[in-house]
Amino acid sequence: MQHSRRTNPYPMTWEVPVAVTMAVAFLLLLGIQAGRSGANLLAGNGWVFVDRRELFTSLPGIVGGHADAGVSGVGVAATPTLMWTCIAAAEAAMLAVLVIAGRWAWNRWGSRRMQGMATREEAEATLGRTRLRKQAKVIRPDLYGRGARR
């Protein structure tokens, strides 16, 4: 109902969708790297995350099944099966977080958001009994002022 009554004075442009797409792609890349590091941890090598210089260049090695691609100091790398299992778990967790964050952002800033509505706490702070009692001396100085008789 409210959506049909209002207009959007600022047209949707390409910058915001591109920025969101790039952020999601980067987080999924970090999920791949975290899954590979988790596989190496489970293989007994400790948690070794890739150096930032190798963040993108090690990706073809990981896709090729090499758990030690771009990481120095790994003794026996994890098996490809363990690595892909850990990557799948990390990506599933990352996608769950992204879906929850996307839903929250859509409810907060999306086209169907409720505008102009205060929360219960905000309405009570502005109009409620607590504020009336605090401001009683100003509202009814005859009853609650300095020399008021009770």
Side-chain angles (χ1 to χ4, degrees):
M1 183 166 106
Q2 185 183 21
H3 182 67
S4 63
R5 291 185 299 190
R6 66 180 177 88
T7 60
N8 187 3
Y10 188 73
M12 181 62 112
T13 59
W14 60 272
E15 293 95 348
V16 174
V18 168
V20 169
T21 303
M22 289 179 62
V24 167
F26 183 70
L27 289 175
L28 292 176
L29 170 76
L30 288 179
I32 290 172
Q33 297 287 359
R36 186 265 308 265
S37 295
N40 283 332
L41 175 69
L42 292 176
N45 294 321
W47 179 268
V48 181
F49 200 73
V50 67
D51 189 45
R52 67 180 176 174
R53 292 175 299 207
E54 299 287 331
L55 189 64
F56 296 103
T57 58
S58 65
L59 196 58
I62 295 171
V63 172
H66 303 289
D68 58 349
V71 178
S72 61
V74 174
V76 178
T79 63
T81 306
L82 177 62
M83 184 183 71
W84 285 114
T85 304
C86 289
I87 287 175
E91 290 296 328
M94 189 69 71
L95 285 174
V97 169
L98 285 172
V99 166
I100 291 169
R103 177 77 174 150
W104 175 81
W106 185 256
N107 287 338
R108 177 79 169 106
W109 296 298
S111 63
R112 298 268 186 200
R113 71 187 181 275
M114 185 64 75
Q115 293 183 339
M117 298 296 294
T119 63
R120 284 186 182 268
E121 293 79 21
E122 291 170 339
E124 203 284 323
T126 305
L127 304 169
R129 289 186 177 149
T130 305
R131 182 172 181 269
L132 289 175
R133 291 184 204 281
K134 285 183 182 177
Q135 302 297 325
K137 290 188 266 186
V138 176
I139 296 169
R140 292 292 307 264
D142 58 325
L143 293 178
Y144 302 104
R146 278 191 166 177
R149 296 182 184 169
R150 293 187 192 209

